Amino acid sequence: MMGRVTLRNLAAHKIRLVLTAVAVILGVAFVAGTLMFTDSMNKQFDDLFSSISEDIAVDVRAEKVVGGDDDGMSAQPVPASVLETLKGVDGVRDPIGNVTGYAAVVGKDGKIVGTPQNGPPQLGVNLTESAFYDLTSGRAPRGPAEVVIDEATAEHGELAIGDTTQVVTAGPPQRMKIVGLVDTGNMMGATVTAFDTPTAQRLLLKPGYFTDIEMKSAGPSEAELRDRVAAALPPGLEAITGTELREEAQSDVAEIMGFFRTFLLAFALISIFVGAFIIFNTFSMLVAQRTRELALLRAIGAARAQVTRAVIGEAVAVGVVGSTLGLAAGAGLASLLQTQMGDAGEGGLTLTANAVFWSYAVGIVVTVVSAYFPARRAAKIPPVAAMRDDVALPQRSMRIRIALGSLLTAIGAALIAVGLAGAGGNPAVPVGAGAFGVFIGVAMLAPVISVPVLRVLGAPAARLLGAPGRLARQNALRNPRRTAATAAALMIGLALITTVNVLGSTMRASIDEQINAQFGADYLVQAQGAGGVNAEAQQRVKDAPGVVAATPTYGGEVKVDGKDVFYVAGDARVITEAARLKIVSGSAAAGPADLMVDEDTAKDRGWEVGAAVPVQFPDGKTERLTLSGVYSRSDLIGPRLMSQEMHLRHTLNPTVDIMVVDTERADAATRTALESALQGYPNLEVADQASLKEDARGQVDGFVTFLTILLVMSVVIAAVGVINTLALSVIERTREIGLLRAIGISRRQLRRMIRLESIMIAVFGAVLGMGIGIAFGAALQNALADDGLGVLSVPYGTLVVYLAIAAVIGVLAALWPAWRAGRMDVLKAISTE
């Protein structure tokens, strides 16, 4: 019998439950889309690496001394003489030397094709018979003036076979003729520029060297051949099997995609969390409106458990339908994400059992859990209540709610403080748990907070708009629990968006302060991409009119006390002045075997000036450097500064990262002279203090915008919640609305009343959320003050815009409920029980 009751209730409340299902659909779509997208990308990478190295039995490369050298482009090279040695090893077939490095192609518009910064790699390679790409048109390059590029690069750069274009590498730009095109398959957006082997060695590595040497097997197993090859190798080189090579590549990608999946799923869970408030609110209102009906069921013999199961049954149905539609919407979202990946997203969509399982699990479980407490309240309705005209669900005391809400808020704040203080473990866990606790706690306290806040927010409407304004405020205050539950959904989304914007504004202000305090040079010349500033460009900078001095700086990675660490290398005196380093002890008069570190590093290591520091370089050699100076923290230089001589001694193919330029006068004419000197180098740019700030702000703004877009989903779900609550409230107040119409209130005034009520609820949620967001942002800034976020900045202008957007959300959310209320038949509304 109760099963039929459940089905009847579903049929009787289709619109209400459809609105509830929207929250489930949107939340599940985010989860399903994330899982399908990352599963698809993982499969594409797996297929790519399998196809690239499927014929490789053994690969020879330099031993990895420093962990960062596993990218194949900065690792120590393999002498070409090793290739001849390997040809004599029994079982080795077709050994081939590979050359890999940085190379980019300039398109017809004079700009580099691709995205050199924070984008897919721009690969320069030697064209070999075992290459992972196929020559589809033209021929292989022959000689130093010919090149082959991939088809996607040719299309994006509007280039064709026979064209002469500029190729940018670590050396001077080369004018080369395109003689062929290759199909790289799905290379995830990477560009490929291929030369013959001697040209590739000269431009990308060093004559007489390879990045690695791969070979096939003439019979022995991979492991057996690996051991034979390893026995013939000189010190400093290692042999690994093709299987190990593929597993390494897949493991690296899996780690990156795993982080990306966790990142997106965090936002999906936020959307689901917001949706749970809506589901809880909807079922609470449905139960409240059906109190007499449920009491009659109890009166005719239905047990409490049966009533509970009836309501839970409705929740399961909503969860199943919402999960199914959410899974379909997730496929669309995953496809959209793939299109944003450009060439990297052309491998098709992969649907796995993992995505299906978690979509239904999340959708159904969240819906059922959210509906459980309203279901229990429904079961507690006494049968005798069916005989009364004024049936109402009993309300719990606010004292328990206030006490529990305060406790959860305090515990949440404490967990956030522990996480931000870095008291061991993964800080994301206590911070996430703390934020969850704060949201739940504030949501429980919201009914108490709502009364004074809504009185203030509603005062202008009540005074200026007459009866509709007064009625709207009274309606919002009539049921503080419901109003708070509706506003809480919007509160969460806007709290997180506000936190992100406060953090972004703080980062911009802190970066500006750092550049003002630490940037002492007139100009910097830096490269876009991995090519660096080549020797010819360095000389042009030095010869530019008005330039007094131009000093190269380098970056590298070494091993200190068994840990991989980064450093900057160059003329210590010049860098000290350019970065306005404050010397705490020792001096900046660093010799070739000296090292300078910041205060934190010296303190953590227990080093003092004069200490001997063993440093192991990527070439495997170890030097004992003398600590010559300690300086205050510098975000521009970092914690370690080494001499240029030491860096060059252990780097086979050094790359200048930045040129520090001092001039007679830092004015427009000098900058124009520098830019003119570098006109033939499309990968180099001249930066001063203002442009550095602008670039930094652009990166921060992009990051903030990206996070805000991800959080908008939760705001959309919250808007659906406002619509749902108002629609159910209009149904609940049918008779009241009829009486208002009967005593003379017009349809226009009625719609205005509902719009104002919606605006008050939305603005209340926004005010609550932005208050929490500012507190979260201030806590983050305080915790990260020593890590570069020294200036707290609250973007009040942006927050005012968000408050206005919340009011607009309130207006839009009220359109349908207000329209429905205005169309009610007065007589039928009055006669409604």
Side-chain angles (χ1 to χ4, degrees):
M1 181 187 75
M2 297 308 295
R4 291 195 297 272
V5 171
T6 298
L7 293 175
R8 183 185 65 78
N9 287 332
L10 287 169
H13 308 107
K14 293 186 288 291
I15 295 178
R16 311 179 202 182
L17 294 175
V18 164
L19 288 172
T20 306
V22 170
V24 183
I25 292 168
L26 294 176
V28 170
F30 212 151
V31 173
T34 298
L35 294 175
M36 281 189 270
F37 172 70
T38 52
D39 286 343
S40 300
M41 297 302 291
N42 275 328
K43 184 177 183 302
Q44 291 176 42
F45 276 114
D46 288 345
D47 293 344
L48 172 65
F49 291 127
S50 296
S51 64
I52 288 176
S53 56
E54 60 183 350
D55 293 331
I56 299 176
V58 173
D59 188 75
V60 171
R61 63 188 184 187
E63 291 180 347
K64 297 180 183 179
V65 177
V66 178
D69 290 336
D70 57 359
D71 57 6
M73 298 176 69
S74 59
Q76 293 298 301
V78 179
S81 58
V82 175
L83 180 62
E84 298 302 319
T85 301
L86 295 177
K87 290 179 180 179
V89 175
D90 185 30
V92 169
R93 179 166 66 91
D94 301 332
I96 295 174
N98 297 315
V99 180
T100 306
Y102 166 79
V105 175
V106 178
K108 288 279 183 156
D109 59 359
K111 298 180 180 179
I112 292 177
V113 180
T115 51
Q117 288 184 328
N118 303 319
Q122 294 174 306
L123 298 176
V125 298
N126 61 323
L127 189 64
T128 64
E129 294 179 359
S130 66
F132 57 85
Y133 37 79
D134 300 320
L135 188 65
T136 55
S137 58
R139 60 175 177 80
R142 295 193 292 265
E146 294 183 349
V147 69
V148 167
I149 64 176
D150 66 276
E151 293 175 328
T153 298
E155 180 181 353
H156 296 157
E158 299 181 355
L159 300 170
I161 293 175
D163 289 346
T164 298
T165 188
Q166 197 174 32
V167 177
V168 177
T169 64
Q174 308 287 313
R175 298 292 298 179
M176 308 186 82
K177 182 179 180 181
I178 301 173
V179 297
L181 300 177
V182 295
D183 178 14
T184 59
N186 187 4
M187 277 289 291
M188 309 301 167
T191 64
V192 173
T193 307
F195 314 88
D196 64 14
T197 295
T199 303
Q201 290 174 320
R202 177 175 58 86
L203 295 178
L204 309 178
L205 200 58
K206 190 174 183 179
Y209 286 89
F210 295 110
T211 305
D212 68 304
I213 299 173
E214 65 181 51
M215 64 209 71
K216 300 176 183 177
S217 174
S221 66
E222 285 187 348
E224 184 180 353
L225 184 60
R226 177 198 57 198
D227 293 341
R228 294 182 187 179
V229 169
L233 294 178
L237 300 181
E238 66 176 358
I240 62 170
T241 65
T243 300
E244 292 171 336
L245 183 66
R246 289 184 286 273
E247 288 176 350
E248 278 186 8
Q250 291 168 348
S251 175
D252 291 341
V253 171
E255 183 177 352
I256 295 171
M257 294 307 297
F259 170 80
F260 189 57
R261 171 180 288 192
T262 302
F263 180 77
L264 290 180
L265 283 177
F267 290 91
L269 292 176
I270 291 169
S271 297
I272 291 168
F273 183 43
V274 171
F277 279 87
I278 297 169
I279 298 165
F280 172 82
N281 210 23
T282 301
F283 275 93
S284 295
M285 295 181 73
L286 288 175
V287 167
Q289 291 174 14
R290 288 156 47 196
T291 301
R292 191 169 188 181
E293 171 191 330
L294 295 172
L296 284 170
L297 288 174
R298 294 279 287 117
I300 63 175
R304 286 188 174 186
Q306 288 178 305
V307 174
T308 301
R309 285 198 298 268
V311 178
I312 292 296
E314 295 178 37
V316 171
V318 171
V320 170
V321 172
S323 298
T324 302
L325 297 177
L327 184 62
L333 179 62
S335 298
L336 179 62
L337 286 172
Q338 283 190 318
T339 61
Q340 299 304 307
M341 296 289 290
D343 296 336
E346 296 180 353
L349 200 61
T350 300
L351 178 61
T352 64
N354 188 46
V356 175
F357 171 79
W358 283 110
S359 295
Y360 279 98
V362 167
I364 295 172
V365 170
V366 169
T367 308
V368 170
V369 170
S370 302
Y372 175 71
F373 290 103
R376 284 196 62 189
R377 291 177 64 195
K380 292 179 180 179
I381 299 173
V384 72
M387 303 176 188
R388 298 171 53 189
D389 291 330
D390 56 339
V391 184
L393 287 175
Q395 297 287 345
R396 289 186 177 181
S397 171
M398 280 286 190
R399 292 181 180 178
I400 297 176
R401 189 184 188 104
I402 292 172
L404 187 56
S406 301
L407 180 62
L408 285 173
T409 303
I411 292 174
L415 286 172
I416 292 174
V418 169
L420 294 179
N426 183 3
V429 175
V431 169
F436 179 81
V438 168
F439 284 135
I440 295 295
V442 173
M444 295 185 72
L445 294 172
V448 181
I449 302 171
S450 67
V451 175
V453 174
L454 284 172
R455 288 188 187 281
V456 174
L457 291 177
R463 178 170 297 182
L464 300 176
L465 299 176
R470 291 193 296 273
L471 288 171
R473 183 169 68 168
Q474 290 172 9
N475 289 334
L477 289 167
R478 178 185 299 179
N479 193 330
R481 296 172 190 262
R482 179 188 305 168
T483 298
T486 305
L490 194 59
M491 170 196 76
I492 296 168
L494 280 175
L496 295 173
I497 288 175
T498 300
T499 301
V500 168
N501 280 267
V502 169
L503 192 59
S505 181
T506 296
M507 291 171 67
R508 288 189 291 269
S510 298
I511 288 171
D512 285 353
E513 183 186 61
Q514 290 166 13
I515 292 176
N516 288 336
Q518 300 177 17
F519 186 80
D522 292 328
Y523 298 100
L524 298 180
V525 174
Q526 53 192 358
Q528 299 178 6
V533 186
N534 63 72
E536 182 180 292
Q538 294 175 42
Q539 192 59 49
R540 290 196 178 191
V541 170
K542 293 176 181 178
D543 294 340
V547 172
V548 175
T551 306
T553 64
Y554 306 82
E557 190 177 8
V558 292
K559 197 178 288 292
V560 178
D561 291 341
K563 295 183 179 180
D564 298 330
V565 296
F566 290 92
Y567 66 88
V568 169
D571 187 316
R573 287 186 179 276
V574 173
I575 293 176
T576 298
E577 184 177 347
R580 294 177 179 168
L581 293 182
K582 180 182 178 181
I583 304 300
V584 177
S585 59
S587 72
D594 288 343
L595 175 70
M596 296 176 65
V597 300
D598 66 7
E599 283 183 290
D600 292 339
T601 301
K603 183 178 179 181
D604 292 343
R605 302 286 187 177
W607 293 339
E608 295 182 355
V609 173
V613 181
V615 176
Q616 189 175 21
F617 289 85
D619 61 2
K621 297 178 181 178
T622 299
E623 299 270 5
R624 293 182 67 83
L625 305 184
T626 301
L627 186 64
S628 63
V630 177
Y631 53 87
S632 296
R633 174 192 172 91
S634 172
D635 296 289
L636 293 182
I637 299 302
R640 299 164 196 85
L641 178 59
M642 193 182 297
S643 72
Q644 175 176 315
E645 293 87 347
M646 185 60 63
H647 174 78
L648 297 179
R649 183 185 303 175
H650 296 282
T651 306
L652 183 67
N653 196 19
T655 300
V656 174
D657 293 333
I658 296 173
M659 289 283 290
V660 178
V661 182
D662 288 320
T663 61
E664 295 175 354
R665 180 179 298 175
D667 54 15
T670 303
R671 178 162 185 157
T672 300
L674 280 169
E675 291 173 343
S676 298
L678 298 173
Q679 193 169 6
Y681 300 85
N683 64 318
L684 300 182
E685 62 179 6
V686 179
D688 56 12
Q689 191 176 87
S691 58
L692 281 176
K693 291 179 182 178
E694 184 178 351
D695 289 345
R697 291 191 198 112
Q699 293 181 22
V700 172
D701 289 344
F703 179 67
V704 169
T705 301
F706 176 65
L707 293 182
T708 302
I709 290 172
L710 290 176
L711 289 168
V712 162
M713 180 72 80
S714 64
V715 176
V716 172
I717 295 174
V720 172
V722 178
I723 297 172
N724 215 359
T725 299
L726 287 175
L728 291 170
S729 180
V730 166
I731 295 170
E732 185 180 81
R733 303 194 319 244
T734 299
R735 187 175 185 182
E736 176 188 319
I737 290 171
L739 288 171
L740 287 172
R741 294 279 287 115
I743 63 175
I745 192 170
S746 67
R747 289 184 176 180
R748 184 175 183 179
Q749 288 176 313
L750 182 63
R751 295 190 186 105
R752 182 181 298 168
M753 177 191 76
I754 294 174
R755 283 197 298 270
L756 289 172
E757 180 183 352
S758 178
I759 291 171
M760 289 177 194
I761 293 173
V763 171
F764 169 58
V767 169
L768 203 58
M770 288 191 290
I772 295 173
I774 292 173
F776 280 1
L780 284 169
Q781 183 274 328
N782 184 66
L784 300 174
D786 294 336
D787 295 322
L789 294 185
V791 181
L792 175 63
S793 175
V794 179
Y796 293 106
T798 302
L799 297 187
V800 170
V801 172
Y802 287 155
L803 195 63
I805 291 174
V808 172
I809 289 173
V811 173
L812 297 177
L815 289 178
W816 180 65
W819 173 82
R820 179 169 180 163
R823 284 176 56 87
M824 283 186 184
D825 182 275
V826 177
L827 294 177
K828 288 183 179 179
I830 293 174
S831 62
T832 300
E833 292 186 3

